[in-house]
Amino acid sequence: MRRVLQAALRGLFCGLLLALSGCNNSPHPLGAERENTLFTAFDERSPRYLDPTSSYSAPEAAYAYHIYEPLYSYHYLKRPYQLAPRAAAEVVQPYFLDAKGQRLPRDADPALIAQSVYDIPLRPGLRYAPHPAFARDGHGRLRYHALSPAELKGKRSPWDFAERGTRELVAEDFVFALKRHASPRQEAPLFALFSEHVLGLKAYGDTLRAENAKLMAGLPDNLADKPFLDLRRWPLAGAEAVHPHLLRIRLKGKYPQWPYWMAMTFFAPVPWEVDAFYAQTGMSEAGLGWNQWPVGTGPYMMTEYVQDQRHVMSRNPNYREDFYPCEGAEGDRAQGWLDDCGKRLPFVDKIVATLVKERVPRKELFKQGYLDMPEIDRSDWGVEFLVDKDDSDAVARRFEQRGYKFPIDVDISSWYIGFNWLDPVVGRGDTPEQQLRNRKLRQALSIAIDWEEGYGRIFRNKGGVAAHGPVPPGVFGSREGLPGQFNPLTHEWVGGKIQRRSIEQARALMVEAGYPQGRDAKTGKPLVLSYDYQRVIRPELKSETDWMVQQFAKLGVQLELRATDYNQFQEKVLQGKHQVFWWGWFADYPDAENFLFLLYGPNGKSKFEGENAANYQNPAFDQLYRRLQTLDDGPEKQQVIDQMVAIVREDSPWSWGFWPFVGMAYQSWVYNGKPSIVVRDVLRYARIDTQERSRKISDWNHPVWWPLGLLLLGGGFIIWRTRHAFALREQAPAPGYQATTGAGIRPAGQEAQR
């Protein structure tokens, strides 16, 4: 029995330990808040692409821009945005050549310019993060470039290899990177655009397709690990390594926007050794590739990648000398954004991003202090928290007491509804009659979607200003928000102000389109459209999608929701299987051309893997776009932009949506958090006061002791019951005997004397 009591006491002790551990509601390991680590979250899925040639979405950029170093970047603090050197030693201006190779003056007529030449010096001494692709044996041979299946067995990370190496970045790495855009092995969303400008790139694509066909002869097309296509074998006229630290790029004609592209990860260096390493048999099955384990010279490197669960970027030990800026925009000093002037970057040792599927739990983790910022790739959290703050005095007081930071600004980005130009109902149409009907339908729907109501008054946590075209405020050529400027197809001037056209006007367009009251005039069948949404619909999104369904219902149109996660949505768009879709755009660079190229025909997503998700194509617009690409800011460029905007307003390939507010959310202990869409490597500048974090998390999350009290009471009751049972058993008669009144004990079965 004594053993039973001991077991009960041990059980009670274990229960106490569990209760004490349960009092800590942190999702992180014990003591993690005292480490120099930034904690954040991501939504739904891991990034689809981290390969620099393919990566082109916000969830991917949050990692890519901290691991890779393009030639240029943007000054973190200055506004308007200014280019700054990153892997390059300086930002250079091109020189121009005529058809005979003779130099032209800088103000030469674009028609005379045959080539623009960029000679870009590189920073010496830049070194890649440690990786087994660079490891060499005692004879100088690459150690891991001929791995057998047995040698690869059990390897799921670059950190599973015994040795890792590095080497210096050289100009040839940028040449190799530019060549990859022409490779049939890559999903290259900018190949169509780049091939129009980089000398010889289009023909280079033809060469690589032919050479790839030779390599793949007799092999299945869906082979996961294809034989290495060594791009070093074939020169590219438009890219040359003059010497290890000088890169030369030749463009056809004049293209003033080109330097902006060199600030993107499409221009991150690609060492051939890593490309060859990842091409080995078995790498895909092992989850070893660019999309999981990118390799760069940037401040961080991927040290943990658990698909759809957790990603960890750690400080790159080979990162160059880099310092926090000492100049900024007006007001930056008052915000404290210049306090770290001249200090060595990066400040943070590690960035941990964990999957938190629901928005509400993500929000609560931030409010408890367990997330330093709610999400690694979204710039609207501050807007949502400010709405919460405005709606409740109690919430406002709590936010002020805790010192949350919600810097807000208006930056160059957009959200919109698009219509797939390849679709027979909402797209271009095959005949002149069908084209007119489809255009009237798109115009009617564009009037019916009341963006001012939805994202001006209802969904204020994602709010913004209704758009009247594709060019956002804040860049040259935009007329958004200027007096008297509006989209006459969707709005009109009434009583001295701009207002959305009435639903009656939209219904009249529906009649012209052949859909009176939302029914086909010929068949009488209701018009049913598919709404392709790029997120899985969770409770926090349902109200938005329901609202969009209601907008179409105003015209009698039935909108059927087809929601998927973002990766599946991307695949659907690539295949052209979308119809009506929700999409957004964060500016790559501060120029109208970066938004107008989203409607450029040769940049179609489904046909050419470009970024024109609507697959819109209009010859007049495309011709103007090609002219725009040669123009510097000035009256001629403004005139061309005005003409292009007028064309797409009439065609209505998008319902223009809204320009969202940019609002970040940071804890009080996170410093240097200036809101931006264009600057993608913001965590390079983030600094954390770990002592303040540890203290505040402790203050905000006091242990809840009443469960422990209940456990103590329950444990005491169990012990009492156990002891009571033991006592009763001690007093019970031995088997085979029964008690007598006052006569002790006698054998059972004998009657008592009378």
Side-chain angles (χ1 to χ4, degrees), residues 27-41 300 303-304 310-315 346-354 369-373 376 667 669-671 683 686-694 697:
H28 309 306
L30 187 65
E33 70 276 5
R34 294 190 292 273
E35 298 175 356
N36 188 21
T37 299
L38 186 144
F39 295 100
T40 184
Y300 293 100
T303 52
E304 186 177 341
R310 175 180 163 94
H311 312 130
V312 178
M313 294 187 291
S314 302
R315 184 190 294 269
F347 295 113
V348 173
D349 291 335
K350 189 183 295 184
I351 300 164
V352 176
T354 308
Y370 295 126
L371 294 179
D372 299 308
M373 53 189 294
I376 192 169
Q667 300 288 357
W669 54 78
V670 179
Y671 296 87
L683 300 184
R687 177 171 58 83
I688 294 174
D689 185 332
T690 57
Q691 292 184 347
E692 180 185 349
R693 176 170 63 185
S694 180
I697 287 178

Side-chain angles (χ1 to χ4, degrees), residues 453-469:
E453 175 197 70
Y455 292 88
R457 297 189 292 275
I458 298 177
F459 307 114
R460 293 187 299 140
N461 60 328
K462 296 182 179 179
V465 178
H468 290 259

Side-chain angles (χ1 to χ4, degrees), residues 426-601:
V426 300
R428 179 177 183 270
D430 295 331
T431 66
E433 179 187 5
Q434 190 65 42
Q435 290 169 15
L436 179 61
R437 288 186 59 191
N438 291 8
R439 183 166 64 248
K440 296 291 184 181
L441 173 61
R442 294 190 301 272
Q443 291 173 353
L445 294 172
S446 295
I447 293 172
I449 303 174
D450 190 344
W451 296 102
E452 290 88 350
E453 175 197 70
Y455 292 88
R457 297 189 292 275
I458 298 177
F459 307 114
R460 293 187 299 140
N461 60 328
K462 296 182 179 179
V465 178
H468 290 259
V471 183
V475 301
F476 179 85
S478 174
R479 297 190 183 275
E480 295 279 331
L482 298 179
Q485 297 294 323
F486 60 91
N487 181 0
L489 271 297
T490 56
H491 291 71
E492 56 188 343
W493 187 264
V494 178
K497 62 179 181 180
I498 300 168
Q499 70 177 33
R500 184 167 291 275
R501 289 187 178 274
S502 68
I503 199 66
E504 287 74 21
Q505 291 172 291
R507 287 170 180 157
L509 285 170
M510 289 292 289
V511 173
E512 295 180 46
Y515 300 103
Q517 298 180 344
R519 291 182 174 272
D520 191 303
K522 295 179 180 178
T523 66
K525 293 181 179 180
L527 177 59
V528 181
L529 300 177
S530 297
Y531 181 32
D532 296 290
Y533 197 73
Q534 57 179 261
R535 304 278 293 278
V536 174
I537 302 302
R538 298 197 176 99
E540 66 266 19
L541 294 174
K542 189 175 185 304
S543 57
E544 289 185 63
T545 53
D546 286 349
W547 177 83
M548 189 61 69
V549 170
Q550 292 167 9
Q551 303 307 296
F552 282 67
K554 295 175 189 176
L555 303 177
V557 178
Q558 298 178 26
L559 192 65
E560 291 188 348
L561 182 63
R562 296 193 303 189
T564 61
D565 66 52
Y566 185 60
N567 289 351
Q568 292 171 319
F569 174 80
Q570 285 181 299
E571 189 64 33
K572 186 189 301 184
V573 173
L574 280 170
Q575 295 173 5
K577 295 180 179 179
H578 55 312
Q579 189 175 40
V580 179
F581 61 98
W582 173 274
W583 199 276
W585 186 253
F586 293 168
D588 295 320
Y589 48 84
D591 194 282
E593 186 255 3
N594 188 234
F595 283 80
L596 294 168
F597 101 119
L598 299 174
L599 294 164
Y600 179 49

Side-chain angles (χ1 to χ4, degrees), residues 61-136:
Y63 304 94
Y65 280 82
H66 292 96
I67 292 172
Y68 301 118
E69 285 198 289
L71 289 163
Y72 299 157
S73 63
Y74 291 92
H75 192 285
Y76 182 53
L77 299 176
K78 290 182 179 181
R79 303 292 186 274
Y81 291 106
Q82 291 184 19
L83 287 172
R86 196 163 179 192
E90 60 179 294
V91 176
V92 302
Q93 294 295 324
Y95 58 87
F96 303 128
L97 303 177
D98 63 17
K100 295 180 179 180
Q102 301 298 311
R103 284 215 183 194
L104 295 169
R106 288 204 51 78
D107 59 352
D109 183 344
L112 300 177
I113 298 174
Q115 289 186 29
S116 300
V117 184
Y118 291 83
D119 282 348
I120 306 161
L122 305 181
R123 294 179 189 267
L126 299 187
R127 302 190 74 80
Y128 289 99
H131 195 275
F134 300 119
R136 294 182 180 270

Side-chain angles (χ1 to χ4, degrees), residues 661-680:
F661 299 123
V662 178
M664 309 301 289
Y666 298 105
Q667 300 288 357
S668 63
W669 54 78
V670 179
Y671 296 87
N672 305 326
K674 184 169 183 175
S676 175
I677 289 292
V678 173
V679 178
R680 304 290 174 84

Side-chain angles (χ1 to χ4, degrees), residues 595-632:
F595 283 80
L596 294 168
F597 101 119
L598 299 174
L599 294 164
Y600 179 49
N603 200 29
K605 173 74 80 173
S606 304
K607 287 185 175 181
F608 310 110
E609 297 184 354
E611 287 305 313
N612 176 358
N615 297 302
Y616 174 69
Q617 192 159 19
N618 182 310
F621 180 92
D622 293 346
Q623 184 177 3
L624 287 168
Y625 177 80
R626 287 188 285 270
R627 181 178 167 198
L628 174 72
Q629 291 179 301
T630 69
L631 299 176
D632 297 306

